């Protein structure tokens, strides 16, 4: 399947700047939605903190990409340089985020940032050369501006935490049940899905009944990290991931698995929509910042009880029985206990959405960006 069919290259400096400015605001709104979700008790304080970290890293990634492509189109004015500098591409269908290859290339650039910085003049030197060029040549110092943008890009890669294609598991202590000799931990990890071109965050709460605590166990912790990253695929059901983990680690008992899908981002200017959201955004289009909506989906899988399973002649292991709503065929088939869909959008787009009374959005929570970027929540 040719995935590049869904790609859209931003072919002007104006479009690129508008795209990154839009996402700068959207990520800020996502952070505020996470805070509001915690106040509404839809997520916990620990989940809000986890989301805050990943959204900061995601914001850093978008800033880095904006520096990288700041002068790409200006270089095209002086030479056919789009092939030299590369153009920025997004997934225009059911994503709106940069294509997977952009983040993959950025990760590669980050590993070689030190070498690039050694070969590039300092910012001060480049700025002096630009002034000299303007005074002597009486023209814009495009080549030097491009070199400066790349210098800033590599400095940013070297100094900031980024959201990468794979963000390996981190573990935090939650508490312990001394009576049952159980420690409780929270593990979170994230990926940039290569098929959907979307950031996906995972969170698992588990009990540890081993003699040695998981973060200090050099035999289990590396295996756990590898296992979770290998299973971090959007196409896998939460039930499949949790049951596989439960079976592979006899002393670790997952009691909650949660997955956050950030996106797609819909925009009348940048993406191609289908269904009722297309008409809403087309009517809302009237200026920068008015024609977008971002989906935010949270899937949860909860253990309702545990059983004992024989794993050897004299040995048994605890296995989790996860709760599925068998009266709701769609939910049972999804492999999750529940799923909450939300849409974040500007106020005027929300008004048009309400006027249309589309049944597709009846069970979707709306987070509306009001005045001064204040977020309001509507069921």
């Amino acid at each position: 399947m040719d995935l590049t069919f869904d790609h859209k290259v931003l072919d002007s400096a104006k479009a690129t700047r508008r795209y990154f400015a839009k996402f700068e605001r959207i990520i800020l709104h996502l952070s505020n939605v996470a805070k509001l979700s915690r106040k509404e008790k839809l997520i916990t304080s620990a989940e809000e903190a986890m989301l805050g970290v990943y959204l900061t890293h995601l914001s850093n990634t978008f800033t880095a990409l904006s520096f990288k492509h700041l002068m790409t189109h200006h270089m095209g004015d002086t030479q056919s340089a789009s092939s030299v500098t590369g153009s920025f591409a997004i997934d225009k269908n059911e994503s709106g985020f940069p294509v997977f290859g952009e983040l993959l290339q950025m990760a590669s650039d980050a590993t070689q940032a030190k070498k690039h910085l050694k070969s590039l003049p300092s910012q001060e030197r480049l700025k002096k050369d630009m002034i000299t060029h303007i005074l002597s040549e009486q023209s814009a110092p495009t080549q030097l501006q491009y070199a400066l943008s790349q210098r800033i890009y590599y400095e940013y890669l070297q100094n900031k935490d980024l959201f990468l294609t794979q963000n390996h598991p981190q573990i935090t202590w939650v508490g312990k049940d001394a009576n049952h000799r159980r420690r409780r931990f929270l593990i979170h990890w994230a990926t940039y899905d290569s098929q959907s071109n979307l950031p996906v965050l995972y969170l698992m709460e588990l009990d540890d009944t081993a003699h040695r605590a998981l973060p200090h166990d050099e035999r289990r912790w590396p295996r756990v990290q590898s296992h979770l990253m290998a299973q971090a695929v959007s196409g896998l059901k939460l039930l499949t991931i949790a049951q596989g983990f439960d079976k592979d680690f006899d002393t670790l008992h997952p009691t909650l698995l949660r997955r956050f899908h950030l996106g797609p981002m819909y925009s009348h200017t940048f993406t191609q929509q289908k269904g009722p959201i297309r008409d809403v955004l087309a009517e809302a289009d009237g200026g920068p910042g008015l024609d977008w909506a971002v989906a935010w989906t949270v899937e949860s899988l909860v253990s309702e009880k545990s059983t004992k399973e024989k794993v050897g002649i004299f040995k048994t292991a605890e296995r989790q029985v996860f709760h599925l709503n068998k009266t709701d065929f769609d939910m049972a088939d999804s492999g999750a206990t529940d799923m909450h869909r939300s849409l974040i959008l500007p106020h005027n787009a929300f008004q048009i959405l309400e006027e249309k009374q589309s049944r597709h959005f009846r069970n979707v929570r709306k987070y509306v960006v009001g005045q001064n970027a204040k977020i309001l929540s509507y069921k």
Side-chain angles (χ1 to χ4, degrees):
M1 183 170 60
D2 183 9
L3 294 177
T4 60
F5 181 75
D6 293 329
H7 295 180
K8 175 180 181 177
V9 174
L10 301 189
D11 55 3
S12 71
K14 182 181 178 182
T16 305
R17 284 199 302 272
R18 183 174 174 181
Y19 178 82
F20 283 114
K22 181 187 291 289
F23 255 102
E24 183 182 1
R25 291 192 298 273
I26 285 175
I27 293 174
L28 178 62
H29 297 323
L30 290 175
S31 299
N32 291 331
V33 167
K35 292 175 185 173
L36 186 55
S37 296
R38 194 260 304 159
K39 289 179 182 175
E40 294 177 328
K41 300 186 184 305
L42 296 174
I43 62 173
T44 64
S45 297
E47 289 170 327
E48 180 197 353
M50 177 206 74
L51 285 164
V53 170
Y54 285 118
L55 288 171
T56 299
H57 294 179
L58 191 62
S59 176
N60 291 341
T61 289
F62 272 87
T63 302
L65 291 174
S66 71
F67 286 136
K68 178 181 179 180
H69 295 285
L70 183 65
M71 294 300 297
T72 298
H73 300 287
H74 295 281
M75 288 294 290
D77 292 336
T78 57
Q79 53 180 287
S80 120
S82 116
S83 59
V84 176
T85 57
S87 296
F88 180 62
I90 65 171
D91 183 343
K92 64 185 178 185
N93 284 323
E94 297 300 324
S95 169
F97 280 67
V99 299
F100 182 78
E102 291 285 351
L103 269 74
L104 203 60
Q105 181 61 53
M106 186 192 70
S108 174
D109 292 343
T111 63
Q112 302 175 68
K114 193 174 180 180
K115 292 180 184 175
H116 283 283
L117 289 172
K118 279 184 179 177
S119 67
L120 285 168
S122 67
Q123 287 196 41
E124 292 72 21
R125 167 72 184 280
L126 287 167
K127 289 174 183 175
K128 285 180 182 177
D129 290 347
M130 287 163 65
I131 294 171
T132 303
H133 176 96
I134 292 169
L135 294 175
S136 60
E137 304 290 333
Q138 300 289 306
S139 64
T142 309
Q143 305 277 357
L144 292 169
Q145 287 176 305
Y146 177 73
L148 181 60
S149 71
Q150 298 308 292
R151 171 91 206 178
I152 296 172
Y153 168 61
Y154 286 113
E155 286 179 352
Y156 205 83
L157 294 184
Q158 198 172 45
N159 297 324
K160 294 290 185 179
D161 291 321
L162 304 165
F163 192 98
L164 303 171
T165 52
Q166 289 196 338
N167 303 272
H168 293 173
Q170 305 293 311
I171 187 167
T172 56
W173 165 270
V174 174
K176 67 178 179 180
D177 180 350
N179 293 331
H180 297 89
R181 296 182 177 180
R182 302 170 82 97
R183 305 177 190 87
R184 177 153 291 185
F185 294 101
L186 196 64
I187 302 177
H188 57 83
W189 65 103
T191 64
Y192 197 82
D193 191 83
S194 60
Q195 295 297 311
S196 64
N197 293 311
L198 289 175
V200 185
L201 320 180
Y202 294 83
L203 177 145
M204 177 185 283
E205 200 168 285
L206 58 81
D207 287 349
D208 180 9
T209 53
H211 177 69
R212 194 169 189 184
L214 180 59
H216 307 296
D217 190 335
E218 64 274 11
R219 290 180 174 79
R220 290 186 302 157
W221 180 227
R223 280 184 56 222
V224 167
Q225 290 177 300
S226 299
H227 180 100
L228 293 176
M229 286 312 306
Q231 297 292 302
V233 180
S234 293
L236 284 180
K237 296 177 182 179
L238 290 187
L239 184 64
T240 304
I241 298 172
Q243 286 181 331
F245 184 89
D246 194 29
K247 189 174 181 181
D248 282 3
F249 298 95
D250 290 342
T251 54
L252 298 174
H253 318 294
T255 56
L256 168 70
L257 179 60
R258 190 161 281 171
R259 179 159 60 186
F260 297 81
H261 301 266
L262 306 186
M265 188 282 287
Y266 303 102
S267 166
H268 185 68
T269 304
F270 294 104
T271 61
Q272 293 182 348
Q273 292 71 238
K274 298 176 184 175
I277 193 68
R278 178 183 58 190
D279 298 331
V280 170
L281 297 183
E283 288 188 37
D285 185 34
L290 301 176
D291 66 334
W292 61 270
V294 177
W296 166 294
T297 305
V298 184
E299 299 173 88
S300 301
L301 181 68
V302 179
S303 170
E304 61 180 355
K305 62 181 181 181
S306 62
T307 61
K308 292 289 185 182
E309 179 181 289
K310 206 167 182 180
V311 293
I313 299 176
F314 304 108
K315 190 177 177 184
T316 61
E318 180 180 319
R319 297 287 184 243
Q320 304 303 307
V321 178
F322 296 98
H323 175 66
L324 296 176
N325 186 353
K326 295 178 181 175
T327 60
D328 185 331
F329 178 78
D330 290 337
M331 278 307 305
D333 188 55
S334 73
T337 304
D338 59 47
M339 183 183 300
H340 294 282
R341 300 181 190 277
S342 305
L343 198 64
I344 305 152
L345 69 175
H347 189 264
N348 58 331
F350 171 68
Q351 284 185 317
I352 296 168
L353 188 75
E354 287 296 284
E355 289 168 4
K356 291 187 176 299
Q357 292 288 312
S358 173
R359 62 181 175 82
H360 296 88
F361 299 104
R362 282 179 193 160
N363 297 321
V364 176
R365 181 179 288 269
K366 292 90 176 175
Y367 290 103
V368 181
V369 182
Q371 288 187 336
N372 301 320
K374 184 178 180 181
I375 302 292
L376 304 172
S377 175
Y378 299 93
K379 285 188 177 178

